[in-house]
Amino acid sequence: MHVRVVLFAMLREQKGVSELELDVAPGTTVGGLEARLYPSRQSGSVPGKLLYAVNQAYVTRDHELQDGDEVAFIPPVSGG
Amino acid sequence: MVEITEEPIDIGAVIASVRYSGGGAVVTFLGTVRDNDEAGEVIALEYEAYAEMAVAQMRGIRAEIETRWGIDHVAIVHRVGRREVGEVSVVIAVASPHRLQAFDACRFAIDRIKEIVPIWKKELYPHGSQWKQA
């Protein structure tokens, strides 16, 4: 199945794109996708604390992805 | 009124959108670009938003305010893109029958924006730049 990952701020700059289209196995969780995209979080370019959103709503790491989902890894927000 | 925009915010229009005849108190908050931060001199900020989700989260904040204070006259407009020192980046307006609730709800709104709304800012310094981490 297929998901779209949208990237913002430092995560967008790090990958050099604002979107990724990925094939994932059924049963893949948000945390599983994170581990695939960011195998080493020690690089310093990915903040230690990410939040997760699927289809524009916050979810937890164990949320299971569905075909066609829009997934976002949310670095610490700083609006205002 | 709940918006993410790249255009200058019409503060009067935001305030007008919450005013009603039963609202004896109208409280507004303006967030403006400051010329300094812990890292020193700041020359501008670059705001980026996950716009669709940001609007959904801001609507959620309005719903929280309605649940907590019974106030349903709340407007939130956040501007994105490069903003120079002194420019207005966010405007919140709250109208309610009495001032205490309006002040509390307005403060709650800006605090919640900083917690849950997917907007990020990069600080631009005279030499270099950095995404602000919360």
Side-chain angles (χ1 to χ4, degrees), chain B:
Chain B
M1 182 186 286
V2 171
E3 286 175 18
I4 297 287
T5 180
E6 297 199 358
E7 305 303 318
I9 302 172
D10 182 340
I11 299 167
V14 178
I15 295 170
S17 77
V18 300
R19 295 196 60 189
Y20 68 112
S21 55
V26 180
V27 170
T28 61
F29 173 86
L30 306 184
T32 66
V33 177
R34 194 175 56 226
D35 68 359
N36 69 89
D37 203 352
E38 297 89 5
E41 184 188 354
V42 170
I43 56 172
L45 297 176
E46 246 175 51
Y47 287 94
E48 179 172 336
Y50 184 4
E52 200 178 353
M53 182 175 171
V55 167
Q57 291 296 315
M58 295 193 299
R59 288 189 202 286
I61 291 170
R62 279 211 311 192
E64 288 181 287
I65 288 172
E66 178 154 22
T67 302
R68 197 153 155 186
W69 288 281
I71 294 173
D72 61 354
H73 291 79
V74 177
I76 305 172
V77 180
H78 203 301
R79 196 176 179 195
V80 294
R82 177 177 167 136
R83 306 277 63 94
E84 307 299 323
V85 169
E87 280 193 283
V88 174
S89 56
V90 60
V91 177
I92 300 168
V94 178
S96 76
H98 304 291
R99 68 187 183 283
L100 291 182
Q101 294 84 346
F103 275 115
D104 287 350
C106 189
R107 180 179 180 159
F108 175 84
I110 184 62
D111 288 349
R112 287 296 273 162
I113 286 170
K114 287 172 177 288
E115 283 170 9
I116 64 168
V117 178
I119 298 173
W120 302 271
K121 61 178 164 237
K122 183 193 247 183
E123 293 183 329
L124 307 183
Y125 311 121
H127 304 285
S129 63
Q130 182 178 292
W131 288 100
K132 191 144 174 71
Q133 303 264 345

Side-chain angles (χ1 to χ4, degrees), chain A:
Chain A
M1 57 186 212
H2 203 70
V3 299
R4 196 160 62 93
V5 179
V6 290
L7 300 167
F8 300 95
M10 65 283 279
L11 300 185
R12 173 181 54 74
E13 289 186 343
Q14 183 204 19
K15 295 281 187 202
V17 292
S18 55
E19 268 185 44
L20 296 168
E21 301 275 348
L22 296 173
D23 286 315
V24 297
T28 300
T29 61
V30 170
L33 185 60
E34 179 191 17
R36 173 172 153 190
L37 280 176
Y38 303 105
S40 171
R41 293 278 296 274
Q42 276 75 28
S43 63
S45 53
V46 177
K49 268 174 64 178
L50 292 180
L51 295 177
Y52 312 94
V54 171
N55 301 329
Q56 297 105 41
Y58 285 112
V59 297
T60 54
R61 290 184 91 251
D62 57 4
H63 180 93
E64 217 170 89
L65 296 172
Q66 305 296 319
D67 186 43
D69 276 350
E70 178 176 298
V71 185
F73 299 105
I74 313 263
V77 301
S78 55

